[in-house]
Amino acid sequence: MSEMQIEQWPIARLTPYLGNPRKNDQAVPRMVEVLQQSGFHMPVLVIENGEVIDVHLRLKSSLAMN
């Protein structure tokens, strides 16, 4: 098992996992609002090539804010 690394990447380096059903688009505006109000940056889990493996809502919300 490899060791987990924490790095800060630009959003443009991330790619959504094609197998994600993306059934939560209606939640994006609320997540954007929460992120803007809190000023908190939430992690997005990715594999080495930048493909998102978890928290797609956070990615979509971050992209909507930019």
Side-chain angles (χ1 to χ4, degrees), residues 27-40 42 65:
V28 171
R30 178 65 182 134
M31 177 65 84
V32 167
E33 188 178 312
V34 168
L35 292 173
Q36 288 173 333
Q37 288 177 356
S38 68
F40 184 67
M42 295 187 218
M65 289 171 50

Side-chain angles (χ1 to χ4, degrees), residues 13-45:
R13 186 173 172 189
L14 306 177
T15 56
Y17 170 63
L18 296 177
N20 183 313
R22 294 176 179 84
K23 295 181 179 181
N24 58 355
D25 285 341
Q26 73 284 356
V28 171
R30 178 65 182 134
M31 177 65 84
V32 167
E33 188 178 312
V34 168
L35 292 173
Q36 288 173 333
Q37 288 177 356
S38 68
F40 184 67
H41 298 278
M42 295 187 218
V44 174
L45 302 177

Side-chain angles (χ1 to χ4, degrees), residues 2-13:
S2 63
E3 190 175 309
M4 181 174 64
Q5 296 179 0
I6 299 174
E7 300 175 20
Q8 186 170 350
W9 288 5
I11 291 175
R13 186 173 172 189

